[in-house]
């Protein structure tokens, strides 16, 4: 597996409230995380960075002992809950950070599958055979309108309340994160990103970029394209490539 990622402030915002982390794990596994903070410049940064720090520490210190086969959902949900409580308590202790929160989309890749846990509208996608498939379901007001048939997917793309999210880390002591998993194949690309990418780069353009670029250049290319399209928000793109296993003779 290969990993590559980048974050950028964009063309409009003064501060970058996105954060991301990724790393290799024992047993040819890997983890990836993207967070998009909210609650003002300082609050958004504190929320996303704080959540990333907690989740990274959970993978470093607890993964080997607490994420045995079959325990992926429990481990990921508890990990996001730990980050949620950290951000919530920090916001309660500092008036300047009141109301802060962050989205989170976290992936664990091992044994031919990706396990995903998320809250908010940061997304995970699978790119396979030239086609991009969204693996996560947005926790947003506009997505709820789509789900109940009030508006179409096309109308949702330009809805004025598109930025209202219905779940996030840090806004409540409880957290209702969502879990899903997907089988992977050799040659697959996994993309985790903030809405600064998906709001600026249409799906067909994402597919074109992912299908033609060199892997380690892809984060730069995706962010450059989002900025060329206006860069209205912070942009984060984090990628994992599922590599074919080497065949050794002799």
């Amino acid at each position: 597996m290969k990993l590559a990622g980048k974050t950028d402030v964009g063309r409009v915002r003064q501060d970058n409230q996105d954060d991301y982390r990724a790393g290799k794990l024992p047993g040819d596994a890997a983890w990836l995380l993207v967070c998009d903070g909210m609650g003002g410049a300082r609050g958004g940064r504190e929320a996303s960075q704080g959540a990333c720090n907690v989740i990274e520490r959970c993978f470093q210190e607890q993964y080997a002992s607490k994420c045995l086969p079959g325990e992926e959902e429990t481990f990921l949900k508890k990990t996001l809950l730990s980050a949620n409580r950290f951000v919530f308590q920090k916001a309660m202790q500092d008036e300047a950070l009141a109301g802060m929160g962050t989205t989170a989309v976290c992936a664990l890749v091992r044994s031919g599958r990706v396990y995903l846990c998320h809250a908010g509208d940061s997304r995970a996608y699978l790119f396979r055979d030239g086609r991009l498939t969204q693996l996560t379901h947005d926790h947003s007001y506009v997505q709820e309108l789509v789900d109940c048939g009030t508006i179409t997917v096309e109308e949702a793309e330009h809805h004025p309340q598109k930025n209202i999210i219905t779940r996030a880390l840090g806004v409540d002591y409880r957290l209702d994160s969502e879990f899903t998993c997907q089988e992977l194949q050799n040659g697959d690309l996994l993309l985790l990103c903030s809405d600064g990418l998906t709001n600026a780069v249409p799906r067909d353009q994402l597919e074109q970029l992912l299908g033609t670029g060199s892997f380690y250049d892809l984060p730069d290319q995706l962010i450059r394209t989002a900025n060329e399209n206006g860069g209205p928000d912070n942009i984060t793109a984090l990628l994992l490539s599922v590599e074919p296993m080497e065949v050794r003779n002799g």
Side-chain angles (χ1 to χ4, degrees):
M1 290 183 287
K2 296 188 294 189
L3 294 163
K6 187 174 183 179
T7 188
D8 188 81
V9 69
R11 292 279 177 87
V12 175
R13 306 281 188 181
Q14 297 298 310
D15 302 283
N16 191 350
Q17 298 176 43
D18 285 3
D19 201 357
Y20 75 95
R21 308 288 166 87
K24 298 289 184 70
L25 294 166
D28 196 30
W31 69 281
L32 304 87
L33 171 69
V34 168
C35 290
D36 178 357
M38 59 188 189
R42 184 186 164 206
R45 284 198 309 274
E46 290 272 2
S48 62
Q49 292 175 7
C52 281
N53 288 339
V54 171
I55 293 170
E56 183 173 31
R57 191 160 58 247
C58 286
F59 274 100
Q60 290 174 343
E61 298 177 359
Q62 302 176 17
Y63 171 77
S65 61
K66 295 188 177 180
C67 192
L68 301 175
E71 297 180 349
E72 294 86 1
E73 180 174 0
T74 299
F75 176 78
L76 288 174
K77 284 190 170 183
K78 284 185 176 179
T79 295
L80 262 64
L81 183 60
S82 295
N84 176 76
R85 289 176 175 169
F86 174 85
V87 176
F88 179 76
Q89 289 169 352
K90 193 161 189 176
M92 293 286 286
Q93 294 164 0
D94 188 341
E95 285 188 14
L97 301 177
M100 74 174 178
T102 182
T103 69
V105 55
C106 185
L108 167 63
V109 179
R110 71 178 185 185
S111 303
R113 296 178 74 87
V114 55
Y115 302 90
L116 290 157
C117 195
H118 80 288
D121 61 356
S122 294
R123 295 177 178 176
Y125 288 92
L126 175 67
F127 182 69
R128 176 185 293 167
D129 298 329
R131 295 192 62 183
L132 197 63
T133 302
Q134 186 175 332
L135 300 179
T136 51
H137 190 76
D138 288 355
H139 301 140
S140 68
Y141 172 67
V142 167
Q143 184 62 54
E144 290 182 355
L145 296 179
V146 172
D147 292 344
C148 66
T150 304
I151 63 174
T152 66
V153 173
E154 290 73 26
E155 290 170 332
E157 290 297 318
H158 306 288
H159 197 282
Q161 293 171 301
K162 191 174 180 181
N163 63 330
I164 299 175
I165 60 174
T166 55
R167 299 187 208 180
L169 275 64
V171 297
D172 192 284
Y173 195 70
R174 298 156 297 182
L175 176 68
D176 183 18
S177 58
E178 185 173 345
F179 175 83
T180 188
C181 61
Q182 167 75 40
E183 290 189 7
L184 297 175
Q185 300 175 5
N186 287 334
D188 284 350
L189 285 181
L190 189 65
L191 168 66
L192 272 61
C193 61
S194 61
D195 65 346
L197 178 68
T198 50
N199 287 342
V201 185
R203 180 184 293 256
D204 57 349
Q205 198 170 16
L206 284 174
E207 288 178 338
Q208 182 182 10
L209 290 166
L210 292 171
T212 56
S214 170
F215 176 76
Y216 289 110
D217 294 333
L218 285 175
D220 282 313
Q221 293 174 0
L222 293 170
I223 285 173
R224 183 167 59 249
T225 303
N227 279 325
E228 288 171 353
N229 292 351
D233 202 352
N234 306 148
I235 314 151
T236 300
L238 179 58
L239 289 135
L240 178 142
S241 173
V242 181
E243 297 292 293
M245 292 180 64
E246 291 183 1
V247 177
R248 297 183 180 179
N249 296 320

